[in-house]
Amino acid sequence: MKKTNKSLLISLLLSSLVLTGCNGGSSNANTSYEDPIEPSLSDDTELKEAEEQANVVIDMINALTDSSSEADVLAASAAYSNLSLLAKGFITEEVLAKLNRQIERIKNEKKALKVEEVIAAIDALTDESTKQEVYQVKDLYEALEDELKTKVTNADKLFSQIERVKMIPANEMTAIINALTNPSEVVGLSNDEITKKYFELFEIKEQYNALTEEDLGYLSTDVKEKYSKYVEEFDKS
């Protein structure tokens, strides 16, 4: 076979036999690490078995194509990994390179699939999407490697949706504040009606105070001033 060193494999076996002869069974004064030992029939059998095992894996690898499934590639990879060191010596560099190319192909295909999934998730977002839905897609995007993020062709739409949902609390509060009536209108109302107005304002205060610094940043100056003036005038009333 190409680029396999059979003499090196035999040397490995010989070295193993020398060590066994020195350390096991009856001692022999004439045996040393330098003494050559001819391979026995059993050693030839072990070498042959290793070659046969390697040939099975070589056939698996050579059968791989760019259309092979991930399962087939992983099976060939696992078969190679499970070979003994002796059997791996029969695998040529050319065959091993083919296996590595197929493994890399599967990795790239899985990366491409992740990008496609994120693109599809972004496409599904609309102006009706909730903050939770938008941020779920955001998490998918953020989980991508930086290199893959550059391949998300509709990332701008995601960023736009993120900005939209960030403004939801401020937009809701703006609508509430703009709907407030003149505090002077409480004059002449019954106590029950004034109490109702008071609790409505209390709820508005709770919502306003619950806004984050980021939320408040989306409120216009006019809206903030209107809210402060209303609270002040209502308290006077």
Side-chain angles (χ1 to χ4, degrees), residues 98-110:
K98 179 175 183 178
L99 174 60
N100 287 331
R101 284 196 301 272
Q102 290 300 319
I103 292 173
E104 192 63 24
R105 175 182 65 82
I106 292 298
K107 287 181 180 179
N108 291 335
E109 288 178 357
K110 293 177 74 173

Side-chain angles (χ1 to χ4, degrees), residues 66-134:
D66 288 343
S67 300
S68 296
S69 66
E70 179 182 359
D72 289 340
V73 174
L74 291 179
S77 177
Y80 172 77
S81 297
N82 290 332
L83 287 177
S84 66
L85 183 61
L86 188 61
K88 285 180 180 178
F90 287 99
I91 308 294
T92 66
E93 293 179 4
E94 181 182 0
V95 172
L96 192 57
K98 179 175 183 178
L99 174 60
N100 287 331
R101 284 196 301 272
Q102 290 300 319
I103 292 173
E104 192 63 24
R105 175 182 65 82
I106 292 298
K107 287 181 180 179
N108 291 335
E109 288 178 357
K110 293 177 74 173
K111 288 180 179 179
L113 184 59
K114 287 182 179 180
V115 172
E116 291 174 5
E117 289 174 349
V118 173
I119 290 175
I122 294 174
D123 278 341
L125 293 176
T126 69
D127 288 343
E128 302 300 320
S129 298
T130 64
K131 182 176 182 179
Q132 181 181 4
E133 291 169 340
V134 172

Side-chain angles (χ1 to χ4, degrees), residues 10-235:
I10 294 175
S11 296
L12 288 172
L13 281 173
L14 291 176
S15 298
S16 175
L17 288 170
V18 169
L19 292 175
T20 303
C22 290
N23 297 319
S26 58
S27 60
N28 188 337
N30 294 323
T31 302
S32 67
Y33 291 110
E34 290 78 20
D35 288 339
I37 300 177
E38 292 297 327
S40 64
L41 180 60
S42 62
D43 301 326
D44 288 337
T45 300
E46 183 179 357
L47 199 62
K48 183 178 180 180
E49 289 177 351
E51 185 174 12
E52 290 175 350
Q53 292 167 0
N55 285 337
V56 172
V57 176
I58 290 172
D59 289 341
M60 291 179 68
I61 295 173
N62 284 334
L64 296 176
T65 68
D66 288 343
S67 300
S68 296
S69 66
E70 179 182 359
D72 289 340
V73 174
L74 291 179
S77 177
Y80 172 77
S81 297
N82 290 332
L83 287 177
S84 66
L85 183 61
L86 188 61
K88 285 180 180 178
F90 287 99
I91 308 294
T92 66
E93 293 179 4
E94 181 182 0
V95 172
L96 192 57
K98 179 175 183 178
L99 174 60
N100 287 331
R101 284 196 301 272
Q102 290 300 319
I103 292 173
E104 192 63 24
R105 175 182 65 82
I106 292 298
K107 287 181 180 179
N108 291 335
E109 288 178 357
K110 293 177 74 173
K111 288 180 179 179
L113 184 59
K114 287 182 179 180
V115 172
E116 291 174 5
E117 289 174 349
V118 173
I119 290 175
I122 294 174
D123 278 341
L125 293 176
T126 69
D127 288 343
E128 302 300 320
S129 298
T130 64
K131 182 176 182 179
Q132 181 181 4
E133 291 169 340
V134 172
Y135 272 76
Q136 284 176 345
V137 178
K138 177 178 178 290
D139 289 341
L140 291 176
Y141 175 81
E142 293 296 342
L144 294 175
E145 299 172 8
D146 290 342
E147 178 186 359
L148 298 182
K149 288 178 181 177
T150 63
K151 298 180 180 180
V152 178
T153 55
N154 56 353
D156 287 344
K157 179 180 178 180
L158 172 61
F159 302 148
S160 176
Q161 288 295 319
I162 291 172
E163 193 66 17
R164 176 184 66 80
V165 296
K166 281 183 177 180
M167 295 179 64
I168 289 177
N171 289 340
E172 290 176 346
M173 180 54 62
T174 296
I176 291 172
I177 293 174
N178 285 334
L180 291 174
T181 57
N182 193 318
S184 61
E185 292 182 3
V186 299
V187 177
L189 296 178
S190 66
N191 289 337
D192 288 343
E193 291 172 325
I194 292 175
T195 300
K196 182 180 178 181
K197 287 281 187 181
Y198 173 81
F199 279 110
E200 287 176 354
L201 178 59
F202 179 79
E203 290 179 359
I204 294 173
K205 283 184 177 181
E206 290 278 292
Q207 294 178 47
Y208 189 91
N209 292 333
L211 295 176
T212 65
E213 288 296 324
E214 183 179 37
D215 295 334
L216 291 172
Y218 288 109
L219 287 179
S220 68
T221 301
D222 290 345
V223 169
K224 291 177 182 177
E225 289 178 351
K226 181 176 181 179
Y227 170 76
S228 298
K229 184 177 180 181
Y230 182 88
V231 172
E232 182 181 351
E233 292 183 0
F234 187 89
D235 291 340

